[in-house]
Amino acid sequence: MACDIVVLGGTGDLALRKLLPALYYLHRDGYLHAGTRILAAARAKHAAESYRRLVQRHVSQHVALGDFDSETWDAFAERIDYLSLDVSQRVEFPRLAQALGKVRGRVRVFYLATFPNLFAATAKHLASVGLVDEQARIVLEKPLGESLKTATQINDQIGAVFDESRVFRIDHYLGKEAVQNLLALRFGNALLEPLWRNAHIDHVQISVLETVGVENRGGYYDQAGAMRDMVQNHLLQLLCLVAMEAPVHFEPEAVRNEKLKILEALRPITGMDVQDRTVRGQYAAGERAGEQLPAYYFEKSVDHDSNTETFVALKAEIDNWRWAGVPFYLRTGKCLAQRKSEIVIQFKAVPHRLFSQNGGDPARNRLVIRLQPDESISLALMAKSPGRGMALQEVELDLNFAKAFKRRRWDAYERLLLDVIEGDATLFMRRDEIEAAWRWVDPIIQGWQDCYRSPKRYAAGSWGPDAADSLLERQGHCWFDEN
Ligand code: NAP
């Protein structure tokens, strides 16, 4: 189906590093209809040709080695046009309408790669020039709002213009192959289902750790912090996929209903519990592999007295039959020792110890779903160590996707952009999910503000504040990190 993909914020980091390379691949692999056009817009002035050169530079850098070739590029470039436009100015929108032309029934995707404070005005202005019909879709980037109140306002304002079925709130984690493989693993195999509950699972860890600091996003990040930037969206969405019941169909409403039930079953963390069950940290100066790393408050555009957290660890609990009593530990942070995003499902120990083991701990199995830097799933099993006796040792059953599937692995944005073009919202967040997530997160942020405590310092390049280890040690657990 021919469509117009309008990237508002077309000169930004997200557009140039992720969206246009993803569209290049979709074009190259034949997923874009011959009549599909890409119109990028931002305030910066560019002639179409100079914008194409900018895109070419970025696409050639961001696609895999050998995947960029001039013949494909030339054909792709013909689809691209550019319009200088300030989305906050209603008077500029007739030019956008003119550039798109009056083609009724054509799918139009408006991708808002700008900032949430511009979303509502953009939607209103699009409608004011007749660009919002039943074939128009809007894609909203995270974070949507900074609290339940602001998220509700944005949702109301967008909802006044776009029907909910045409609003695509993106969380690119849900576009990752390993995340979808988690669904395949859970609901495409009968093996795990009987074990996937509190009778057999001891606890769950969800970690999204970054080695980079705030880079050039200091201004935004200092207002947001790790809780709003990562926990409210990515980590809670991953938690939902681990914990939700099997949907009746793999289609948008069925999947999103199940995720919502989990968000609503999260036990609130309020009052004194905020201090007991959460840890917030901020990186101080440190080093990694001999490189000196600055403290957060020396980063560009960050307030020198900033109390913003760059690290969060917390213990979440889900009050339902399947998960009662199983801690879900969530952890995210910047400037840490290692970059990794992973979900660890720690099963309970064997009820009776029959064999001796290296290390002496009772045997436990562990399923690790790794999303970054590589995508893989591994299951730690106990096996007999070769030789005399019955000493056990942990071995891994490893599903490495790169080895198992020779085909190129899609980037999350390719998959999600194609879903938007095809109108499939299964992997996008519905309004009530976003609001339920904020409803749970808001009291934690409030609790931090009420206690006036600064975030705990941790050295840049370390694994975060010691308090994050103590949070688990109190329950006899520890983070599964390889030093
Ligand atoms: P960015 O690099 O600062 O880009 C922002 C873009 O918006 C630029 O093209 C900017 O161009 C344009 N813009 C700003 N004000 C505008 C206006 N009034 N009218 C028209 N265009 C305007 O930011 P980004 O990193 O790409 O992030 C964009 C959004 O995606 C943010 O909401 C961010 O939270 C979200 N996001 C980004 C990433 C990522 O990897 N970068 C990942 C997840 C989510 P002009 O200044 O020329 O107008």
Side-chain angles (χ1 to χ4, degrees):
M1 177 192 322
C3 72
D4 290 334
I5 302 165
V6 182
V7 182
L8 299 166
T11 56
D13 175 71
L14 179 71
L16 293 172
R17 201 166 49 83
K18 288 290 182 188
L19 305 181
L20 283 140
L23 289 167
Y24 172 87
Y25 273 123
L26 291 177
H27 160 85
R28 189 197 72 164
D29 296 346
Y31 290 100
L32 295 185
H33 186 280
T36 290
R37 304 180 296 179
I38 300 166
L39 176 63
R43 289 168 305 179
K45 301 259 181 277
H46 279 288
E49 207 35 60
S50 79
Y51 180 71
R52 287 186 198 121
R53 278 198 299 275
L54 178 73
V55 175
Q56 181 177 13
R57 247 194 348 265
H58 282 82
V59 169
S60 59
Q61 270 171 27
H62 291 295
V63 299
L65 206 64
D67 281 354
F68 186 86
D69 70 83
S70 51
E71 201 180 318
T72 310
W73 165 258
D74 289 345
F76 178 61
E78 280 181 21
R79 297 180 185 273
I80 303 177
D81 211 340
Y82 181 83
L83 187 72
S84 170
L85 176 91
D86 183 340
V87 294
S88 65
Q89 302 301 316
R90 150 82 181 83
V91 288
E92 304 208 356
F93 278 71
R95 285 191 298 112
L96 177 62
Q98 198 181 8
L100 291 172
K102 282 200 171 51
V103 195
R104 275 207 70 78
R106 191 176 169 89
V107 168
R108 287 202 177 114
V109 174
F110 296 101
Y111 198 117
L112 274 49
T114 53
F115 302 107
N117 60 348
L118 295 169
F119 290 176
T122 307
K124 200 166 86 187
H125 298 336
L126 288 171
S128 73
V129 293
L131 285 173
V132 182
D133 59 19
E134 54 296 338
Q135 292 285 53
R137 292 162 198 166
I138 191 163
V139 186
L140 306 176
E141 264 296 344
K142 66 108 210 193
L144 200 83
E146 58 210 26
S147 62
L148 175 60
K149 188 167 163 226
T150 50
T152 308
Q153 274 164 2
I154 296 175
N155 280 332
D156 283 346
Q157 288 160 330
I158 298 288
V161 178
F162 284 87
D163 183 75
E164 178 64 26
S165 62
R166 291 185 279 115
V167 181
F168 291 75
R169 297 179 192 82
I170 200 162
D171 183 326
H172 71 272
Y173 271 60
L174 302 192
K176 287 180 182 288
E177 288 280 322
V179 173
Q180 288 154 39
N181 256 307
L182 167 62
L183 296 176
L185 193 74
R186 285 198 59 199
F187 305 129
N189 297 284
L191 183 76
L192 284 174
E193 166 52 24
L195 307 177
W196 208 258
R197 59 192 64 247
N198 49 10
H200 302 286
I201 291 180
D202 183 62
H203 71 276
V204 175
Q205 300 183 7
I206 302 178
S207 298
V208 178
L209 312 184
E210 298 178 279
T211 47
V212 292
V214 290
E215 299 178 301
N216 52 9
R217 296 171 72 221
Y220 152 75
Y221 195 88
D222 206 34
Q223 298 300 312
M227 190 63 148
R228 293 183 174 98
D229 188 49
M230 299 297 289
V231 179
Q232 187 274 342
N233 36 74
H234 300 319
L235 277 90
L236 286 183
Q237 283 293 315
L238 294 178
L239 177 145
C240 286
L241 296 184
V242 172
M244 74 188 207
E245 296 298 315
V248 178
H249 308 287
F250 192 61
E251 54 102 87
E253 297 326 314
V255 171
R256 300 188 300 179
N257 287 344
E258 295 305 335
K259 285 197 288 163
L260 179 65
K261 285 182 204 161
I262 294 298
L263 291 166
E264 289 179 337
L266 281 172
R267 184 179 302 172
I269 303 182
T270 55
M272 291 308 290
D273 278 351
V274 176
Q275 304 311 321
D276 286 349
R277 289 170 49 193
T278 73
V279 174
R280 65 194 291 258
Q282 187 189 86
Y283 59 86
E287 68 159 84
R288 187 185 306 108
E291 185 198 351
Q292 297 303 311
L293 304 167
Y296 172 69
Y297 48 80
F298 281 135
E299 298 275 17
K300 202 168 115 205
S301 312
V302 168
D303 186 345
H304 285 340
D305 299 322
S306 175
N307 254 339
T308 300
E309 77 285 352
T310 60
F311 179 98
V312 174
L314 58 84
K315 178 182 160 198
E317 286 165 285
I318 301 170
D319 286 331
N320 67 13
W321 275 53
R322 188 183 283 269
W323 295 114
V326 179
F328 280 69
Y329 298 112
L330 311 187
R331 174 178 60 154
T332 185
K334 288 196 172 290
C335 251
L336 294 170
Q338 209 179 76
R339 172 176 176 247
K340 67 169 180 180
S341 301
E342 69 181 20
I343 300 167
V344 178
I345 313 290
Q346 173 71 47
F347 290 92
K348 290 192 168 164
V350 291
H352 170 64
R353 189 190 299 215
L354 201 54
F355 308 114
S356 64
Q357 274 164 249
N358 293 347
D361 280 343
R364 293 167 196 267
N365 303 120
R366 193 163 59 245
L367 181 71
V368 180
I369 299 133
R370 184 163 275 206
L371 318 177
Q372 262 169 193
D374 307 315
E375 298 191 36
S376 64
I377 295 181
S378 66
L379 178 63
L381 293 173
M382 300 310 289
K384 180 189 165 301
S385 186
R388 202 170 150 252
M390 280 300 288
L392 298 195
Q393 186 181 322
E394 199 174 279
V395 287
E396 283 192 357
L397 272 183
D398 199 356
L399 172 58
N400 181 307
F401 297 121
K403 283 190 201 143
F405 303 102
K406 295 294 173 215
R407 269 168 292 153
R408 184 181 71 83
R409 305 189 48 66
W410 285 37
D411 182 75
Y413 280 98
E414 286 174 60
R415 160 83 200 248
L416 295 173
L417 276 165
L418 194 57
D419 284 355
V420 179
I421 293 169
E422 291 174 351
D424 180 352
T426 308
L427 297 176
F428 295 80
M429 294 175 290
R430 205 168 54 192
R431 170 181 185 148
D432 46 9
E433 282 180 76
I434 299 272
E435 292 175 5
W438 279 120
R439 204 166 287 117
W440 188 74
V441 158
D442 271 1
I444 302 177
I445 296 176
Q446 189 60 49
W448 290 339
Q449 282 165 2
D450 291 348
C451 82
Y452 296 107
R453 280 194 212 152
S454 303
K456 300 207 168 7
R457 304 277 178 223
Y458 61 95
S462 71
W463 288 98
D466 293 343
D469 296 330
S470 316
L471 178 76
L472 271 66
E473 281 160 11
R474 291 204 293 272
Q475 316 279 317
H477 299 141
C478 65
W479 297 106
F480 294 107
D481 293 324
E482 289 151 23
N483 284 297

